[in-house]
Amino acid sequence: MIPFHVGGSILVRLRREGTQAVTIADVARLAGVSTATVSRALSASAALRPETLALVEAAVARTGYMPNVAARTLRGRRSMVVLVVVPDIANPFFSGVLRGLEDELSQHGYGLLIGDIGPHNEKQAQIVGVVQAGQVDGVVLLNGHIPRKAGRDLTALGIPIVAVCEPIEKATFPQVEVRNHEAARQAGAHLAALGHRHVAYLGGPARNILERQRQAGFREGLAEAGCELQPGWIFLGDFTMASGALAARSFVMAVPRPTAVFAANDEMAIGFLKTIQAAGLRVPDDVSLIGFDGIEFADFVEPTLTTFRQPREALGRMGAGLLLRAMAGETIAPEEARVRLDAVLLDRDSTAAAPAPKALSR
Amino acid sequence: MIPFHVGGSILVRLRREGTQAVTIADVARLAGVSTATVSRALSASAALRPETLALVEAAVARTGYMPNVAARTLRGRRSMVVLVVVPDIANPFFSGVLRGLEDELSQHGYGLLIGDIGPHNEKQAQIVGVVQAGQVDGVVLLNGHIPRKAGRDLTALGIPIVAVCEPIEKATFPQVEVRNHEAARQAGAHLAALGHRHVAYLGGPARNILERQRQAGFREGLAEAGCELQPGWIFLGDFTMASGALAARSFVMAVPRPTAVFAANDEMAIGFLKTIQAAGLRVPDDVSLIGFDGIEFADFVEPTLTTFRQPREALGRMGAGLLLRAMAGETIAPEEARVRLDAVLLDRDSTAAAPAPKALSR
DNA sequence: CTGAAAGCGCTTACAG
DNA sequence: CTGAAAGCGCTTACAG
């Protein structure tokens, strides 16, 4: 922690080197009006005489005035900033969702504060702290959990919240998600229709909601085709390529070996793909593989990865829309509060008909 | 823009539903001291009697008090936030740099505000506006440009700035970069040593500083081995996989075809790799390929990509260290203001000895 | 339609 | 070592 007297020297530097910051008083003086009038001109919050408005606008232009955000936030009790809680900023999946959020929110004057919660639990308290400190007007949770601090969770603070991507089961705030169960069911049906009977599943952490939805859906799709997901053929990773690679090392030893695999995300699928290929297996000739998410890299591995494209930007945009309404004081009706979008199967080159039975012993 | 009267209703909601925010006055009352004493206890900016300190700490714990950030920023003239300007948040390369920045800065109590400048120039003005509005105490530029607004650039505001990754040539503020020229020279030498004489280059946008450094270094490395980069074998993309794929389509038509390619980043290399493989070329048997950056995906393509690993976290951490010193009012001596780190060659499977001459006509 | 004045929640000289 | 008071730069009832 930098001692505060050092802060004093920053002030000196800023004042010395930079231009002295223009305040609303400077603008008012130049325009020959009160600061109240300048404020009204800037916020368009009250009707002003066109001549007065012009006077203020000219003074703003001449001075290059920018309102001080801290003062505005303190007085106005709103920061015009939204906190986005991300589980892992390094996962390229989230950049699309962030873009959707940013597009929609910035159109309404809001900025984004990104909180990368990572694997560390201590960050949870930081998140709550940011809200308690009055830094944000709303929160978007992409992480599937309600952050808590010292026993109390975020919902107790009365700030508008929405969850996007990873739904939170018992929560009452609006949520936007993809039809994970449906898509995974389709993955099962698709593999079964290709003749696969020995099928494996590569999932995420056991308690993760996406993992639970996708595994359940996949099982259902297989079951409907008279197929069963055998316990020994379930590998759980952590959504990273490394964990996909790890699962692959067990997979290649399996006897008999499954002829198809559904991975709960693309990164694990890509780690898995590379590793079984290195072990001499061919995709899709020996093993069919389906991923989930539709990240750009899935299109640049060999073979291209069959996967489900999530409508990433739309997820972000719809989440932002709901949050904007909540921040405007609107109550979201329960039937509107749960938005579900489709994930679309991209049928590419990593899936094919199951090899003939004898191929298994080749 | 949401009209401000709506803001009023937010206030009402927060006050009604949430807990009334605890202020420093509440804590002072409970502890039986003045607000000044509470403030001093929290900032450790002055010596307090241990008993007084304990009183305040107990009151803070009882109330769950969190200082209001806007008030603190307004009064203290420092926001404890650093703005990081990123050219493209979707590029996984930056997440490592951001992590390094975040580690170092958060240890000193600073938060990060990420400005994704993207391809749009209008965002430049927004960046300057954030600084003018007093929202941040320092700026880290990862984008290779000094943002400007209405003719004036960021340096005119007297705020501490550092550049990381993409150096800015005429700038006088501290910069942290990788030895791009050296690494690229090594790429040229490496390919030449493997016997490659027909070599192509896949670069970034012509005016980009990394592109210029890497192309120049590569030429030098080739030249030292008596090799020349022919004009027809220079492809310029935009650092995306799609542009690498596009370049590959020209590449496969070339007669005679180069036997080796150096790409100025991994994403282009991966787009290129996939596309020439799809056209029937084998890597490294027909074509050797070197990338740059060392992103994680480079390890999961087939074959694994020979590339240069950038010390991403170190870049971020060193940039943060310099910025912290500048924000503390220190003047950075010129000899310290230009930090250069090594990029390390990861010699993996996408490079091999040049095929025998007749192989070209096979 | 516009202004004077209060006040948002802090920090920090200034006193003692 | 601690307190009373000023003031950071805005917005917004309240008046007129």
Side-chain angles (χ1 to χ4, degrees):
Chain A
M1 186 83 177
I2 295 187
F4 276 101
H5 69 270
V6 176
S9 68
I10 288 185
L11 169 60
V12 172
R13 286 195 65 222
L14 288 176
R15 297 280 167 184
R16 282 245 186 82
E17 298 190 354
T19 328
Q20 158 93 29
V22 181
T23 71
I24 198 169
D26 300 324
V27 176
R29 206 173 305 121
L30 189 64
V33 299
S34 70
T35 60
T37 297
V38 176
S39 178
R40 290 183 187 115
L42 266 77
S43 67
S45 64
L48 293 186
R49 262 176 44 221
E51 305 87 76
T52 314
L53 188 60
L55 238 40
V56 174
E57 277 167 354
V60 167
R62 279 252 317 266
T63 54
Y65 169 68
M66 282 288 292
N68 179 293
V69 165
R72 181 175 267 188
T73 298
L74 177 59
R75 177 58 231 238
R77 296 174 133 43
R78 53 205 314 248
S79 64
M80 297 306 289
V81 172
V82 165
L83 174 65
V84 185
V85 182
V86 186
D88 175 16
I89 189 102
N91 183 332
F93 170 74
F94 290 111
S95 61
V97 182
L98 286 175
R99 192 171 314 123
L101 285 166
E102 210 268 336
D103 276 2
E104 189 72 20
L105 289 171
S106 69
Q107 265 180 36
H108 293 266
Y110 283 90
L112 252 58
L113 187 63
I114 298 174
D116 186 8
I117 204 159
H120 308 298
N121 253 349
E122 87 244 31
K123 291 254 179 153
Q124 282 199 42
Q126 270 188 37
I127 297 291
V128 177
V130 164
V131 174
Q132 287 182 308
Q135 289 192 81
V136 297
D137 296 337
V139 181
V140 179
L141 299 175
L142 301 180
N143 63 323
H145 289 286
I146 301 175
R148 26 175 73 254
K149 174 186 177 185
R152 282 176 52 181
D153 78 31
L154 197 60
T155 57
L157 301 179
I159 191 171
I161 303 175
V162 305
V164 177
C165 295
E166 301 203 25
I168 298 170
E169 286 178 5
K170 64 217 167 232
T172 56
F173 46 72
Q175 310 207 37
V176 183
E177 63 184 312
V178 131
R179 291 193 174 85
N180 287 295
H181 188 97
E182 288 305 304
R185 187 162 151 265
Q186 193 182 348
H190 189 69
L191 292 176
L194 286 168
H196 294 280
R197 288 296 170 270
H198 304 280
V199 175
Y201 172 73
L202 173 49
R207 303 191 42 186
N208 180 276
I209 180 70
L210 301 178
E211 156 57 22
R212 298 212 302 274
Q213 293 179 337
R214 290 174 191 169
Q215 181 174 144
F218 187 52
R219 281 177 187 283
E220 191 174 309
L222 291 177
E224 286 169 5
C227 222
E228 202 192 333
L229 189 59
Q230 295 181 32
W233 290 354
I234 297 175
F235 306 89
L236 295 191
D238 61 3
F239 292 130
T240 64
M241 289 187 283
S243 71
L246 200 64
R249 285 193 266 281
S250 312
F251 177 86
V252 296
M253 316 279 266
V255 182
R257 191 187 299 127
T259 63
V261 179
F262 171 48
N265 83 339
D266 286 345
E267 295 193 64
M268 289 196 296
I270 290 169
F272 185 89
L273 172 67
K274 166 73 187 175
T275 309
I276 65 171
Q277 284 174 333
L281 293 178
R282 294 163 305 161
V283 176
D285 303 34
D286 300 322
V287 179
S288 281
L289 179 59
I290 302 185
F292 207 105
D293 284 353
I295 64 173
E296 208 191 349
F297 280 101
D299 213 4
F300 287 93
V301 289
E302 177 58 38
T304 54
L305 187 66
T306 294
T307 185
F308 289 88
R309 175 169 37 217
Q310 294 206 48
R312 289 188 269 173
E313 291 203 25
L315 285 163
R317 233 190 309 274
M318 303 219 59
L322 288 165
L323 187 66
L324 284 167
R325 289 171 57 191
M327 290 191 301
E330 204 178 312
T331 307
I332 314 285
E335 60 273 21
E336 281 187 281
R338 197 83 186 214
V339 178
R340 280 175 237 263
L341 305 177
D342 281 327
V344 180
L345 179 65
L346 300 178
D347 192 3
R348 299 197 285 212
D349 299 334
S350 66
T351 38
K358 64 170 204 168
L360 272 176
S361 51
R362 244 199 293 189
Chain B
M1 184 84 176
I2 294 187
F4 277 101
H5 70 267
V6 177
S9 70
I10 288 185
L11 169 58
V12 173
R13 287 194 66 223
L14 288 176
R15 297 279 166 184
R16 283 248 185 79
E17 299 191 354
T19 330
Q20 158 94 28
V22 181
T23 71
I24 198 170
D26 300 323
V27 176
R29 206 173 304 122
L30 188 63
V33 299
S34 71
T35 59
T37 298
V38 176
S39 177
R40 290 182 186 118
L42 266 80
S43 66
S45 64
L48 293 185
R49 262 175 46 218
E51 305 88 76
T52 314
L53 188 59
L55 239 39
V56 174
E57 277 167 353
V60 167
R62 279 250 318 266
T63 54
Y65 169 68
M66 282 289 293
N68 178 293
V69 166
R72 180 174 268 187
T73 298
L74 177 59
R75 176 57 230 238
R77 297 173 132 43
R78 52 206 314 246
S79 64
M80 299 305 289
V81 172
V82 165
L83 175 65
V84 185
V85 182
V86 186
D88 175 16
I89 189 100
N91 184 332
F93 171 74
F94 290 111
S95 62
V97 181
L98 286 174
R99 193 172 314 120
L101 285 166
E102 210 267 337
D103 276 3
E104 189 72 20
L105 289 170
S106 70
Q107 264 180 38
H108 293 266
Y110 284 88
L112 253 58
L113 188 63
I114 297 173
D116 186 8
I117 205 159
H120 308 298
N121 254 350
E122 87 245 32
K123 291 253 178 153
Q124 282 199 43
Q126 270 188 39
I127 297 292
V128 178
V130 164
V131 174
Q132 286 183 309
Q135 288 191 81
V136 298
D137 297 336
V139 181
V140 179
L141 298 176
L142 301 180
N143 63 323
H145 289 285
I146 301 175
R148 27 175 72 254
K149 174 187 175 182
R152 284 176 50 181
D153 79 31
L154 197 60
T155 58
L157 300 179
I159 192 172
I161 303 176
V162 305
V164 177
C165 295
E166 301 203 23
I168 298 169
E169 287 178 4
K170 66 220 163 224
T172 56
F173 45 74
Q175 309 209 36
V176 183
E177 62 184 314
V178 131
R179 291 193 174 86
N180 287 295
H181 189 97
E182 289 304 304
R185 187 162 151 263
Q186 194 182 347
H190 190 69
L191 291 176
L194 286 168
H196 293 280
R197 288 295 170 268
H198 304 281
V199 175
Y201 173 73
L202 173 49
R207 305 191 40 185
N208 181 277
I209 180 71
L210 301 177
E211 156 56 23
R212 297 211 302 272
Q213 293 179 337
R214 290 174 191 168
Q215 182 175 145
F218 187 53
R219 281 177 186 282
E220 192 174 310
L222 291 177
E224 286 169 4
C227 222
E228 202 193 335
L229 189 58
Q230 296 179 33
W233 290 354
I234 296 175
F235 306 90
L236 295 191
D238 61 2
F239 291 129
T240 64
M241 289 188 282
S243 70
L246 200 64
R249 286 194 266 281
S250 313
F251 177 86
V252 296
M253 316 278 265
V255 182
R257 191 188 298 126
T259 64
V261 179
F262 171 49
N265 83 339
D266 286 344
E267 294 194 64
M268 289 195 297
I270 290 168
F272 185 88
L273 172 66
K274 167 72 188 178
T275 309
I276 65 171
Q277 285 174 333
L281 293 177
R282 293 163 307 160
V283 177
D285 304 34
D286 300 321
V287 180
S288 280
L289 179 61
I290 302 184
F292 207 106
D293 284 352
I295 64 173
E296 208 191 351
F297 280 101
D299 214 4
F300 287 94
V301 289
E302 177 57 38
T304 53
L305 187 65
T306 294
T307 185
F308 289 88
R309 175 169 38 215
Q310 295 206 48
R312 288 188 271 172
E313 291 203 25
L315 285 163
R317 233 190 310 273
M318 304 219 58
L322 288 165
L323 187 66
L324 284 167
R325 288 170 57 191
M327 291 191 300
E330 206 179 311
T331 308
I332 315 285
E335 61 273 20
E336 281 187 282
R338 197 83 185 216
V339 178
R340 281 175 238 263
L341 305 178
D342 282 326
V344 180
L345 178 65
L346 301 178
D347 191 5
R348 299 198 284 211
D349 300 335
S350 66
T351 38
K358 66 171 206 168
L360 273 176
S361 51
R362 242 198 296 191

